[in-house]
Amino acid sequence: IFCWKARWNTMFTGIVEEVGIVTAVDRGRHSAVLTIQARTVLEDAKVGDSIAVNGICLTVTGRTAGHFTADVMHETLDRSSLTGLRPGTAVNLERAMAVGGRFGGHIVSGHVDGVGRVKSIRRDDNAIWYTISASPALLRYIVEKGSITVDGISLTVARVDGSGFSISAIPHTVAQTVLCHRREGDLVNLENDIIGKYVEKLLAPAPDPSRERGITREFLTQYGF
């Protein structure tokens, strides 16, 4: 269910609009306030709007002609690479999808599932391959030719194995996003395709003690389905 305002506030497509620059990081005990220099995403941004920063949905808490601020909660710092941001760091930026806008990527919520680590980067003619390691908990939802969000970028999985996955990016995507800054060993934010997570949840509903009988996976298997 998406919040209805002037735009779908929690829905993105993974098509990065611009690369911004972190100009300040004010850290609290378990939280932080980011100040980010930007241009395109500020054209119609208001306090309360959502902007994805390296794939993480953050709320604009203040803005000036060339900057916006956003609060980052303890949970977000624990589960993402935002904890490593410093002044001068480049970040991918995308506004929430406008109603009636083009759907160029895939459904992205801006709620990262965890982080991966860049294992290798190699050039292959006009393609640039990034191999990223990830935990089994993330890999269970990553399928070959499926969608994955890496630092807020909608990408297609080219290969996947037991320890990680690979994507093949065109030079334009690399040049227009923070992929051009990534090096072996860097952490990246990962958001799995949301459809797979919902399907799994629906196939394994919570036990209901009040129901003595019902259709279960075991029942279907027993009768040949």
Side-chain angles (χ1 to χ4, degrees), residues 129 143-146 148 155-160 165-168:
W129 286 77
V143 298
E144 189 170 312
K145 307 307 178 186
I148 184 74
L155 297 164
T156 300
V157 177
R159 296 174 184 167
V160 62
F165 65 95
S166 298
I167 59 96
S168 178

Side-chain angles (χ1 to χ4, degrees), residues 166-184:
S166 298
I167 59 96
S168 178
I170 61 174
H172 174 81
T173 300
V174 174
Q176 297 299 315
T177 68
V178 298
L179 279 180
C180 64
H181 299 290
R182 293 291 171 257
R183 299 293 182 264
E184 292 182 9

Side-chain angles (χ1 to χ4, degrees), residues 34-182:
L34 304 179
T35 302
I36 299 173
Q37 179 182 331
R39 183 176 60 182
T40 301
V41 299
L42 293 180
E43 290 174 354
D44 61 352
K46 307 181 299 298
V47 171
D49 283 353
S50 297
I51 295 178
V53 178
N54 277 357
I56 299 168
C57 178
L58 298 179
T59 300
V60 176
T61 56
R63 62 153 298 177
T64 63
H67 297 78
F68 72 93
T69 58
D71 295 340
V72 184
M73 299 179 296
H74 191 187
E75 170 74 3
T76 304
L77 291 174
D78 284 348
R79 295 176 66 94
S80 74
S81 67
L82 289 191
T83 189
L85 291 184
R86 301 287 184 272
T89 303
V91 288
N92 290 323
L93 301 175
E94 181 193 355
R95 287 169 289 185
M97 182 182 177
V99 176
R102 288 188 175 88
F103 206 112
H106 70 283
I107 297 174
V108 177
S109 70
H111 305 151
V112 300
D113 294 298
V115 296
R117 190 176 296 276
V118 179
K119 292 173 59 178
S120 66
I121 304 171
R122 67 180 178 87
R123 187 93 185 203
D124 179 17
D125 198 11
N126 72 335
I128 303 172
W129 286 77
Y130 292 79
T131 299
I132 299 169
S133 62
S135 68
L138 296 176
L139 287 172
R140 67 179 288 117
Y141 302 107
I142 301 175
V143 298
E144 189 170 312
K145 307 307 178 186
S147 296
I148 184 74
T149 308
V150 178
D151 277 343
I153 309 165
S154 175
L155 297 164
T156 300
V157 177
R159 296 174 184 167
V160 62
D161 58 30
S163 62
F165 65 95
S166 298
I167 59 96
S168 178
I170 61 174
H172 174 81
T173 300
V174 174
Q176 297 299 315
T177 68
V178 298
L179 279 180
C180 64
H181 299 290
R182 293 291 171 257

